[in-house]
Amino acid sequence: PNQILHSLKKTLNQKNLISEKASDQYQKDFKKISLDLLSASSFLDWAKLYRKFIYWKIELMELESNSMLNILENQLKEANLVFGKFIKNNYLNWINSKQNSPTMSHNVFKNKIIPHLKINNSTLLILIDNLRLDQWKIIEPLVCKYYNVQQEDLYCSILPTTTHYCRNSFFAGLTPNEIKNKFPYLWIDDFDKGNKNKHEKELMSKQLETLNIKNDSKYLKITSLNDAKRMVVNLHELKKNKLNTIVYNFVDILSHAKSEMNIIKELAFEDKGYLSLTFSWFKNSPLYELIKKASQLNFELIITTDHGTINVTNPLEFIGNKETSTNLRYKYGKGLKFPRKKVFEINDPVNYHLPRYSHEDKYVFALENTYFIYPSKFNDYAKHFMNSYQHGGVSLQEMLIPLIKLSPR
């Protein structure tokens, strides 16, 4: 009877025991994380630290109580405060390719993807727009039913952390200002109307030609459910290509929808709900079916993104004019007024490889979890966008980008 009682207690209390163990382990690691935070002096240090944050976030999300998770989130906010200062001190050297520079948006192909293609055939490169490291970790167990992870890297997004800048640089192998100068007909300025990423295929083609990958690749963009379903059916036709690049937009749509749709706000007002929603979507999506079939067809797989996103909770008053860009995490224009100590300000865009349209123009990037709101109806708009997911600024979540190489099981 005692053995039976012991077995029953162990089984029934297993969840509590696991919770207690996770809480105890995080409490022990808390001090080390704080020390690592103070001593982080390179991109690799920050990448290692960010991985640790994401590991503990996934572990602590499983607990019924949010107390430990809240402590972690506060520690992550502190980390973003320090990370913002780190970026202010180092970003200029990085973007100018000086020593100790990490791989960035404009050299991912050269540094990470081309070496892979030299030793592998029939590769699917799936760029899931706006996919953060924690979202990858949530869907990783599903993907790993069909693929083995060979390598998991983090690269650094350029600024601004938006699709317009990051993804065009990713596909062009050039910084935004280099694209504008070299291919002005393929660059759409901030103030111009229209789709600012409609030339990705041409930009990728020009980069691959420079890198001696010719006539052996295909670019596809999935923007609807029907597109995705057709892709699954016709996937076998891509086997003849060495590289097949697929841009999948759903996660970006989800993050933007959160600021517009009340039902999404109810489901994902914080990271825990946001990650749960990501998992539910992926598990039932054509993208998951695509990955299953890709494994059956023996495709190599690379999963990555162009930038991340952050849940914003702290509005900052910002004054601009009609020509100021509209993004909530970065602003571009002239005559801008803002709290200088709370932002990353770039007065010489050309030195940072960003387009400049007049000598008065500057870029201003939000730090931590802040977002820019104009004084007119400040409280109304601040409330509307509170706890929404935005990108364009400086944070670990927006700038440390997952790139995962996988082989079929």
Side-chain angles (χ1 to χ4, degrees):
N2 286 334
Q3 288 178 331
I4 294 171
L5 180 62
H6 178 73
S7 296
L8 286 171
K9 281 184 175 180
K10 185 176 180 181
T11 301
L12 295 172
N13 290 331
Q14 185 176 16
K15 190 171 183 179
N16 289 334
L17 290 171
I18 293 172
S19 297
E20 289 174 8
K21 185 177 180 181
S23 295
D24 289 344
Q25 288 179 335
Y26 171 63
Q27 288 179 60
K28 290 176 182 177
D29 214 14
F30 179 89
K31 186 174 181 180
K32 186 177 187 309
I33 292 173
S34 296
L35 292 173
D36 290 343
L37 181 57
L38 295 173
S39 62
S41 59
S42 69
F43 180 81
L44 290 177
D45 289 342
W46 280 105
K48 183 178 179 181
L49 191 58
Y50 186 50
R51 288 179 191 277
K52 189 172 289 189
F53 275 118
I54 298 307
Y55 168 80
W56 281 118
K57 176 187 278 191
I58 304 298
E59 289 290 310
L60 298 177
M61 274 174 48
E62 298 298 318
L63 309 187
E64 289 187 10
S65 170
N66 286 333
S67 58
M68 284 293 115
L69 185 60
N70 291 337
I71 293 172
L72 176 74
E73 292 291 353
N74 287 328
Q75 197 174 30
L76 183 53
K77 287 179 184 177
E78 181 187 353
N80 268 323
L81 177 64
V82 182
F83 181 70
K85 295 175 183 176
F86 176 75
I87 290 298
K88 285 183 180 183
N89 292 332
N90 292 277
Y91 187 81
L92 181 61
N93 285 338
W94 291 354
I95 199 67
N96 284 292
S97 299
K98 295 184 179 178
Q99 54 184 227
N100 299 321
S101 301
T103 294
M104 302 182 77
S105 304
H106 58 290
N107 49 33
V108 173
F109 256 90
K110 180 181 177 181
N111 292 353
K112 300 293 184 181
I113 295 172
I114 298 305
H116 171 88
L117 295 179
K118 288 181 178 178
I119 57 175
N120 293 282
N121 291 314
S122 299
T123 295
L124 283 183
L125 168 60
I126 302 179
L127 188 150
I128 307 174
D129 194 8
N130 223 349
L131 183 78
R132 302 190 318 196
L133 179 61
D134 53 357
Q135 289 174 296
W136 157 247
K137 284 299 184 182
I138 283 291
I139 66 174
E140 181 181 11
L142 295 176
V143 175
C144 286
K145 291 181 179 180
Y146 304 94
Y147 275 89
N148 292 314
V149 175
Q150 300 299 324
Q151 189 174 358
E152 183 185 276
D153 285 330
L154 288 172
Y155 77 87
C156 184
S157 167
I158 63 165
L159 294 172
T161 47
T162 62
T163 306
H164 177 203
Y165 290 87
C166 298
R167 206 158 79 198
N168 280 330
S169 287
F170 179 91
F171 284 119
L174 301 167
T175 62
N177 204 37
E178 288 171 338
I179 300 172
K180 180 177 172 61
N181 291 334
K182 193 172 184 178
F183 306 112
Y185 54 94
L186 298 179
W187 178 263
I188 298 177
D189 289 333
D190 243 326
F191 307 123
D192 293 337
K193 295 181 180 179
N195 182 354
K196 293 178 171 56
N197 290 84
K198 65 181 181 181
H199 298 303
E200 292 169 356
K201 183 178 180 180
E202 295 95 324
L203 290 170
M204 187 180 79
S205 177
K206 291 183 180 299
Q207 179 178 193
L208 292 178
E209 187 175 341
T210 302
L211 296 170
N212 294 317
I213 305 292
K214 301 178 182 178
N215 304 319
D216 203 10
S217 67
K218 192 170 184 66
Y219 167 92
L220 302 133
K221 183 179 287 189
I222 306 298
T223 57
S224 70
L225 189 61
N226 288 335
D227 286 345
K229 289 179 177 179
R230 279 195 297 270
M231 172 76 68
V232 174
V233 172
N234 300 320
L235 188 61
H236 63 280
E237 297 176 2
L238 302 181
K239 278 293 288 183
K240 62 180 183 284
N241 302 317
K242 192 173 187 68
L243 173 65
N244 300 282
T245 301
I246 300 170
V247 174
Y248 207 99
N249 270 345
F250 181 82
V251 175
D252 188 54
I253 293 169
L254 174 65
S255 68
H256 286 299
K258 185 178 178 297
S259 64
E260 302 297 334
M261 296 169 57
N262 288 332
I263 189 169
I264 299 294
K265 279 191 174 183
E266 289 292 326
L267 291 170
F269 66 91
E270 59 183 7
D271 279 0
K272 189 173 182 178
Y274 188 56
L275 295 180
S276 177
L277 198 58
T278 301
F279 180 86
S280 298
W281 158 71
F282 181 79
K283 187 176 181 181
N284 298 286
S285 71
L287 177 57
Y288 191 28
E289 291 301 317
L290 181 74
I291 289 172
K292 292 178 188 178
K293 190 169 181 180
S295 177
Q296 295 168 6
L297 293 170
N298 209 36
F299 278 97
E300 295 294 313
L301 180 62
I302 299 175
I303 295 176
T304 191
T305 187
D306 47 1
H307 58 78
T309 186
I310 187 169
N311 191 322
V312 295
T313 59
N314 184 17
L316 287 182
E317 187 173 290
F318 190 98
I319 297 175
N321 53 45
K322 291 181 180 179
E323 295 181 344
T324 304
S325 58
T326 58
N327 186 285
L328 297 185
R329 288 280 292 170
Y330 89 93
K331 295 294 182 183
Y332 172 79
K334 55 188 174 182
L336 310 179
K337 296 181 181 179
F338 47 87
R340 280 187 161 75
K341 292 183 179 180
K342 297 184 178 181
V343 303
F344 178 24
E345 178 183 359
I346 291 179
N347 292 306
D348 50 348
V350 174
N351 285 344
Y352 286 81
H353 291 257
L354 291 170
R356 187 177 205 171
Y357 310 100
S358 84
H359 70 281
E360 298 178 37
D361 290 339
K362 65 174 65 177
Y363 288 80
V364 180
F365 300 99
L367 305 174
E368 306 164 67
N369 58 351
T370 60
Y371 58 110
F372 297 131
I373 299 293
Y374 293 118
S376 177
K377 296 183 179 180
F378 179 90
N379 291 332
D380 290 342
Y381 285 110
K383 182 179 179 181
H384 179 74
F385 290 106
M386 177 73 71
N387 285 122
S388 65
Y389 285 85
Q390 305 293 334
H391 54 84
V394 176
S395 69
L396 292 161
Q397 294 94 319
E398 291 164 290
M399 294 188 71
L400 270 63
I401 310 301
L403 188 145
I404 305 97
K405 296 176 182 177
L406 309 103
S407 295
R409 283 185 177 274

